[in-house]
């Protein structure tokens, strides 16, 4: 049983460029989450999918951010027109309704220069 | 709204000492779940323990133990006989319906 997988692990991009992160959850996990974590802080909730439906989006998720989970399996998080303030680690997590634990991936570090 | 407070920002101990991490939470949910996660320098959040709000029994799992007190909304976590490999940031988290709310984390440094 593999864990939550995220790609790429590290991304350096110039301000104004678009970036996309991919998350492969644990198989059979119907719940998928995206969190953002900045240095010295705890992870902050961004969005939640149950299967392919995006059920909640945080106000932290500006209109430059979009997340998808087209077939209810993997998910992508795209950031358009990146800003330096977007520099953070983006964490993906998955879980099942019958199991109250949420499991996290290793995160994708984004640096906007 | 849910809120998790970890008052300790950093703790430094010598190997083999016990470490207790404090966590206080706020929620209006009657059913909720409390978690402790460990985040080593690699970045991955590693699940350690979970406790349901309706089960206040405190347990020990290896070198980990926890003290859940609903009356004071606290969920403290203890590492017994700490080891250098325990050095990490530890997060307390609260889950009501489906999403986790995290505290700011406590950095634990175990010195040899």
């Amino acid at each position: 049983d593999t864990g939550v997988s995220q790609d790429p692990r590290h991304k350096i991009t110039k301000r104004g460029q678009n970036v996309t992160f991919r998350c492969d959850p644990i198989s059979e996990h119907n719940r998928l989450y995206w969190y953002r974590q900045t240095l010295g802080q705890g992870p902050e909730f961004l969005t939640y999918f149950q299967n392919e439906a995006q059920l909640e989006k945080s106000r932290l998720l500006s209109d430059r951010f979009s997340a998808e989970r087209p077939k209810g399996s993997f998910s992508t998080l795209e950031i358009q027109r990146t800003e330096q303030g977007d520099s953070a680690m983006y964490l993906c997590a998955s879980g099942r309704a019958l199991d109250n634990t949420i499991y996290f991936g290793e995160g994708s570090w984004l640096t906007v220069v | 709204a849910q809120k998790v407070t970890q008052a300790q920002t950093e703790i430094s101990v010598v190997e083999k000492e016990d470490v207790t991490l404090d966590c206080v939470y706020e929620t209006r949910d009657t059913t909720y779940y409390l978690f402790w996660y460990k985040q080593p320098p690699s970045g991955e959040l590693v699940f350690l323990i979970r406790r349901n709000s309706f089960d206040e029994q405190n347990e020990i799992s290896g070198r980990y133990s926890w003290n859940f007190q609903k009356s004071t909304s606290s969920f403290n976590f203890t590492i017994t006989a700490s080891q250098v490999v325990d050095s990490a940031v530890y997060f307390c988290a609260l889950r009501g319906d489906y999403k986790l709310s995290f505290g700011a984390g406590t950095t634990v440094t175990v010195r040899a």
Side-chain angles (χ1 to χ4, degrees):
Chain A
D1 181 26
T2 58
V4 178
S5 177
Q6 294 188 243
D7 183 70
R9 293 290 319 282
H10 300 272
K11 179 72 175 179
I12 300 174
T13 191
K14 291 184 179 179
R15 189 174 51 188
Q17 297 295 305
N18 299 343
V19 295
T20 299
F21 299 112
R22 176 182 168 119
C23 171
D24 287 275
I26 295 172
S27 60
E28 299 181 357
H29 279 193
N30 62 338
R31 296 180 170 183
L32 188 144
Y33 307 79
W34 285 99
Y35 280 77
R36 181 172 68 187
Q37 186 179 18
T38 53
L39 200 62
Q41 301 297 317
E44 296 174 297
F45 171 79
L46 291 180
T47 191
Y48 162 67
F49 289 87
Q50 183 160 312
N51 299 312
E52 67 276 9
Q54 188 175 21
L55 297 186
E56 184 174 345
K57 292 172 59 174
S58 164
R59 56 184 171 80
L60 294 175
L61 216 63
S62 75
D63 55 5
R64 296 185 298 106
F65 288 71
S66 63
E68 294 182 346
R69 194 183 184 197
K71 297 182 180 179
S73 56
F74 73 93
S75 176
T76 57
L77 176 67
E78 181 183 17
I79 308 173
Q80 296 181 326
R81 305 181 303 281
T82 52
E83 302 173 355
Q84 286 188 323
D86 297 333
S87 295
M89 181 165 67
Y90 291 85
L91 287 158
C92 179
S94 70
R96 292 184 301 181
L98 295 179
D99 176 358
N100 294 305
T101 300
I102 298 173
Y103 299 91
F104 284 81
E106 292 181 307
S108 292
W109 291 90
L110 173 65
T111 302
V112 181
V113 298
Chain B
Q2 298 177 331
K3 184 178 179 182
V4 178
T5 302
Q6 295 179 250
Q8 306 150 306
T9 54
E10 295 184 28
I11 297 176
S12 180
V13 298
V14 176
E15 205 169 20
K16 297 184 183 178
E17 288 184 346
D18 295 349
V19 181
T20 295
L21 308 180
D22 298 333
C23 174
V24 176
Y25 63 91
E26 297 175 27
T27 182
R28 294 179 181 175
D29 293 328
T30 53
T31 299
Y32 51 89
Y33 304 88
L34 294 161
F35 301 79
W36 277 97
Y37 285 85
K38 173 183 179 180
Q39 188 173 45
S42 62
E44 181 180 5
L45 275 167
V46 179
F47 164 72
L48 297 177
I49 58 172
R50 182 188 77 214
R51 176 54 62 196
N52 307 327
S53 58
F54 43 86
D55 182 1
E56 290 193 66
Q57 181 178 353
N58 294 309
E59 294 184 14
I60 298 173
S61 175
R63 293 188 300 109
Y64 299 151
S65 62
W66 49 95
N67 186 348
F68 174 38
Q69 293 194 345
K70 207 168 180 178
S71 60
T72 56
S73 298
S74 66
F75 185 52
N76 298 336
F77 175 68
T78 297
I79 306 171
T80 303
S82 61
Q83 301 174 2
V84 173
V85 293
D86 295 327
S87 296
V89 182
Y90 289 81
F91 291 97
C92 181
L94 168 69
R95 205 203 93 182
D97 43 11
Y98 52 80
K99 67 183 179 186
L100 283 171
S101 298
F102 286 85
T106 300
T107 301
V108 173
T109 303
V110 181
R111 307 185 308 276

